[in-house]
Amino acid sequence: MFDLNLSADAAAPIAINLVGSAAWEAFVADLGEPILAQAAADGFTGQAGRVLLIREANGAPSRVFFGLGADAATGPMAIRDLPAKLPPGDYRFAGSLAGLDPGQVALAWSLGTYRFDRYKQDRGETAPRLAPPAGADMTEAHALAHAYALCRDMINTPANDMGPRQIETIAREIAEANQATIAVTVGDALTPAGYPAVHAVGRAAVAERAPRMIEMTWGEADHPLVALIGKGVVFDSGGLDIKPSAGMRLMKKDMGGAAHALALARMIMAARLPVRLHVLIPAVENAISGDAMRPGDVLSSRSGLTIEVGNTDAEGRLILADALTRAAELAPALTIDLATLTGAARVALGPRVVPFYTADDALAAELAAASRAVDDPLWRMPLWAGYAGALDSDIADI
């Protein structure tokens, strides 16, 4: 199990100082020539992300400096990079955190020490540990770190050990631990239950990996209803429009939406937030067999609209169509749909900025403000009505 690494054991943990470039010379003026000499030798002047590790004569680390850059405006999530640059041991932040939120700093440290070593015999050195920063809300930091760890563990687990059945098992464990109700519809039962698109995408998989719709409900009936939807494609071969090997290599991650939805749901339940949750996870494998959907097939959907398949590698939007229709039937106050849908988003925004879509301007502004507050950038993408015509089909509704 992943250790959060947020409890230093030593009586005198090694001090870490955060310092920006502008303040570096004044900061170290009273530290003595040995530190100045080592900084000069390493070329360290407080540059963003740079580490200066001071050692004793015996080689043991005695002090650490972490650079915040020229304007000292580095956000707390930059701390994620620090643990990997330090030897094992116990550490603490000394002095000011340069205006960074202590809880976010603690969370960033924990995220930076995450390792997925389930399949390794040699698990390497012990990750460095951090004494909780003064003023940090450690209850929140631990809850967030546990949620991230669950999400990362699910995504990192290869598809042979993270199929639809395993996602269902995790959902059932979360439901049982939090007194939530859960219902799962599997295989051929999906079509009469009103999830024909989910069935069509997943029917080519072997019986052990049959498609399923997982529904979990939690909370008081009079609380605002929040629908969480997570795309759970445990492996995406591309179907008959098969992906090239490079494109298929990391497709175990195509269930990332489901992992996020379950981790978020577990965190909300554990915190007893005043909402009523309805979690919807369509879990499928987009496999290839004699029963696989074909380009040009026309599928039914829960909404009643017929869908012409232009490309079998566009399976995510098919299963989410059924899930979103189900969510809409519940008339939620808020629907959050989490999915890995297109690499074009990464081409547009790069690997560190997360795209989101909404037609609600007020909600978009709240999300943008929240993302800045926790140093986790989001970027709103356009939902332009002029593109609606691209969904037209000559022989089906869309």
Side-chain angles (χ1 to χ4, degrees), residues 70-110:
D71 57 2
T74 301
M77 285 301 119
I79 303 297
R80 286 178 300 182
D81 296 335
L82 178 55
K85 299 175 181 179
L86 299 176
D90 295 284
Y91 296 85
R92 65 178 177 86
F93 284 102
S96 168
L97 288 179
L100 302 181
D101 178 82
Q104 289 294 307
V105 167
L107 174 62
W109 178 279
S110 183

Side-chain angles (χ1 to χ4, degrees), residues 24-372:
W24 171 245
E25 289 189 11
F27 186 84
V28 297
D30 299 326
L31 295 180
E33 184 59 32
I35 291 179
L36 287 172
Q38 184 170 333
D42 291 353
F44 181 88
T45 59
Q47 305 97 315
R50 288 285 303 277
V51 173
L52 176 63
L53 179 60
I54 307 299
R55 295 183 180 273
E56 304 283 2
N58 63 3
S62 62
R63 192 164 187 174
V64 176
F65 298 90
F66 183 70
L68 298 179
D71 57 2
T74 301
M77 285 301 119
I79 303 297
R80 286 178 300 182
D81 296 335
L82 178 55
K85 299 175 181 179
L86 299 176
D90 295 284
Y91 296 85
R92 65 178 177 86
F93 284 102
S96 168
L97 288 179
L100 302 181
D101 178 82
Q104 289 294 307
V105 167
L107 174 62
W109 178 279
S110 183
L111 297 181
T113 62
Y114 172 84
R115 298 175 182 177
F116 184 73
D117 54 13
R118 173 178 172 180
Y119 298 94
K120 286 183 174 288
Q121 292 187 36
D122 181 4
R123 299 189 174 182
E125 295 181 322
T126 302
R129 296 178 296 270
L130 180 71
D137 182 344
M138 295 307 296
T139 299
E140 179 175 296
H142 278 85
L144 287 163
H146 275 298
Y148 277 108
L150 171 62
C151 187
R152 287 172 161 186
D153 284 350
M154 290 182 68
I155 295 169
N156 283 325
T157 300
N160 58 313
D161 286 334
M162 187 56 66
R165 186 185 299 276
Q166 285 76 25
I167 291 180
E168 176 188 337
T169 298
I170 292 169
R172 289 190 180 279
E173 290 172 350
I174 292 171
E176 181 178 355
N178 294 280
Q179 295 78 53
T181 60
I182 187 168
V184 182
T185 307
V186 181
D188 291 341
L190 286 162
T191 298
Y195 300 110
V198 177
H199 180 259
V201 171
R203 72 190 183 205
V206 296
E208 172 64 22
R209 299 170 71 83
R212 60 205 66 204
M213 176 62 79
I214 303 164
E215 296 193 55
M216 185 163 46
T217 304
W218 173 89
E220 302 296 331
D222 58 347
H223 286 158
L225 178 62
V226 175
L228 295 181
I229 301 171
K231 174 186 168 185
V233 178
V234 298
F235 190 81
D236 182 17
S237 69
L240 292 177
D241 286 304
I242 189 170
K243 290 179 180 288
S245 58
M248 205 186 300
R249 173 64 179 86
L250 294 178
M251 281 301 101
K252 67 177 185 179
K253 70 177 183 178
D254 217 14
M255 40 61 68
H260 278 79
L262 289 174
L264 176 58
R266 187 181 71 171
M267 187 170 62
I268 289 171
M269 294 177 196
R272 313 300 295 178
L273 296 186
V275 297
R276 180 164 177 78
L277 278 184
H278 197 100
V279 183
L280 292 156
I281 306 290
V284 303
E285 179 169 17
N286 190 19
I288 299 172
S289 76
D291 196 27
M293 63 176 177
R294 296 160 287 263
D297 281 1
V298 175
L299 309 181
S300 299
S301 69
R302 186 177 183 88
S303 70
L305 294 173
T306 55
I307 304 168
E308 182 183 8
V309 177
N311 188 311
T312 61
D313 197 19
E315 82 299 328
R317 61 211 68 190
L318 294 174
I319 65 173
L320 291 173
D322 277 356
L324 284 163
T325 300
R326 169 61 178 148
E329 294 166 3
L330 303 170
L334 175 66
T335 298
I336 301 174
D337 177 21
L338 299 154
T340 49
L341 277 183
T342 173
R346 175 163 291 190
V347 172
L349 300 178
R352 290 183 175 266
V353 180
V354 178
F356 74 98
Y357 294 81
T358 179
D360 186 327
D361 291 338
L363 176 60
E366 289 185 54
L367 286 171
S371 75
R372 289 191 296 270

